[in-house]
Amino acid sequence: MLFAVDRGAVKGLPALRVRGELDLSTVPLLAAYVDDALASAPRSLVIDLTNTAFLDSSGARHLVHTAKRAAAAGTALQVVCPRENVAVRLIIDLLELQRLVPVVESATPTDGEVGS
């Protein structure tokens, strides 16, 4: 599966949809999209891993780094990964990533934002 990041919206929130394998070779590509998204200081940002086929430790590390950057910038981050994405959820759960990264089943509007 080829790696791609698509800009868009999830439930009315600005989103980056990640497809393919998020690993050492693709993290720099996602990082560039995250840098671009955070540059405009959005109130919220969704990173949607629904169609991500694989997550390695470098991908997990980047999600932690992104969560810290977003918090410092006052951006509410949501990393969407439904339980049905067993391959990626397994890594998230094994690493207890949800302790450091706001991992959710589906995006939810934050205060003052309207979902679609």
Side-chain angles (χ1 to χ4, degrees):
M1 176 182 270
L2 293 177
F3 181 83
V5 178
D6 300 316
R7 288 185 184 101
V10 173
K11 294 191 177 179
L13 304 175
L16 299 174
R17 290 187 187 95
V18 181
R19 290 184 285 123
E21 298 183 357
L22 184 53
D23 58 22
L24 182 62
S25 66
T26 59
V27 161
L29 300 170
L30 176 58
Y33 279 90
V34 168
D35 289 347
D36 188 49
L38 292 178
S40 63
R43 291 181 48 195
S44 63
L45 177 63
V46 173
I47 297 179
D48 187 352
L49 302 180
T50 301
N51 295 313
T52 303
F54 175 78
L55 176 70
D56 76 354
S57 61
S58 59
R61 185 173 37 252
H62 180 67
L63 292 174
V64 171
H65 176 72
T66 299
K68 289 178 181 179
R69 284 186 58 208
T75 299
L77 178 69
Q78 294 180 50
V79 175
V80 174
C81 187
R83 291 246 169 241
E84 293 79 27
N85 187 340
V86 177
V88 174
R89 272 316 274 245
L90 176 64
I91 301 305
I92 288 171
D93 293 344
L94 286 173
L95 295 175
E96 296 183 350
L97 202 57
Q98 61 277 17
R99 293 176 137 205
L100 301 171
V101 178
V103 179
V104 296
E105 292 280 321
S106 64
T108 56
T110 56
D111 291 339
E113 294 177 317
V114 178
S116 56

